[in-house]
Amino acid sequence: MSKETDFFLRRLHSLLGVIPVGLFVAQHLVINHFATRGEEAFNTASNFMGNLPFVFFLEWFIIYIPLMFHAFYGVYIAFSAKYNVGHYSTFRNWMFTLQRFTGVFLVIFIAWHVYETRIQKALGTEVDFNMMADILSNPFMLVFYILGVVSATFHLANGLWSFCVTWGIAQSPRSQKIVSYITIVIFLILSVIGIQALLAFV
């Protein structure tokens, strides 16, 4: 792969990780958070999203295709990256490593989540509050989903920092530090939203 191609693909990978994939993750967590208001509220919100106009187009071209590119190219980046945490144990080196680890884990988690929800829906199973409650009644699956949510919120928040640096939004050390604080807050807020939603099904 030429340097120009690699540069373009990495920029595209970074962009798609924020728009639209990152926006979808945040929206998905907010919709799931309706579970904290009860079964009816969650089912209403879920049905609303599932019955949007052009839902097939939206799912494939706004979610699935960008997500698959981001995931598969992200795995390539993860396994071709040079890790130097052992030599330079700085905060950013650890964030770099965790970004790659959570990315690989998320490929597994998202594939399983899609199987349990979207594929099961295509096979005739109703995707509703009771379905998620049944899945999360298994303690192992509850822990698995919590790890998935925290990995997703960390990956998104830390990816936002990388995006700001990569695209020239945060160049100076001071601006990068400010963005670090902002993304930590984003990580904490989205994690709370996601975990509260999961626990509402239990």
Side-chain angles (χ1 to χ4, degrees), residues 29 41 72 81 90 93 106 121 184 187 191:
L29 292 173
F72 295 145
T90 64
N93 275 329
L106 283 170
K121 180 179 181 179
I184 288 173
F187 163 65
S191 294

Side-chain angles (χ1 to χ4, degrees), residues 11-128:
R11 282 298 181 95
L12 181 61
H13 173 266
S14 172
L15 179 62
L16 292 179
V18 176
I19 305 169
V21 174
L23 293 177
F24 167 72
V25 169
Q27 172 265 328
H28 191 55
L29 292 173
V30 170
I31 293 297
N32 287 346
H33 195 261
F34 276 87
T36 61
R37 302 183 184 181
E39 179 178 345
E40 183 178 352
F42 173 80
N43 289 340
T44 299
S46 180
N47 289 333
F48 171 77
M49 295 303 301
N51 291 296
L52 287 173
F54 311 108
V55 66
F56 180 83
F57 173 85
L58 291 172
E59 285 184 336
W60 277 99
F61 292 94
I62 304 299
I63 301 172
Y64 294 143
I65 292 176
L67 179 60
M68 285 189 288
F69 172 80
H70 185 79
F72 295 145
Y73 196 71
V75 169
Y76 164 76
I77 292 174
F79 285 100
S80 62
K82 295 180 180 180
Y83 298 90
N84 58 4
V85 172
H87 300 288
Y88 307 102
S89 298
T90 64
F91 174 74
R92 271 298 140 202
N93 275 329
W94 280 109
M95 295 300 100
F96 174 90
T97 302
L98 286 173
Q99 186 74 356
R100 271 60 186 172
F101 284 168
T102 54
V104 172
F105 175 74
L106 283 170
V107 171
I108 299 170
F109 172 74
I110 293 171
W112 181 255
H113 182 53
V114 169
Y115 167 76
E116 284 196 310
T117 55
R118 305 309 298 172
I119 293 179
Q120 293 304 311
K121 180 179 181 179
L123 295 175
T125 302
E126 185 69 26
V127 178
D128 57 10

Side-chain angles (χ1 to χ4, degrees), residues 92 161 174 176-186:
R92 271 298 140 202
W161 183 90
R174 182 174 180 274
Q176 291 178 11
K177 190 173 184 179
I178 292 172
V179 173
S180 290
Y181 291 137
I182 293 172
T183 54
I184 288 173
V185 171
I186 291 172

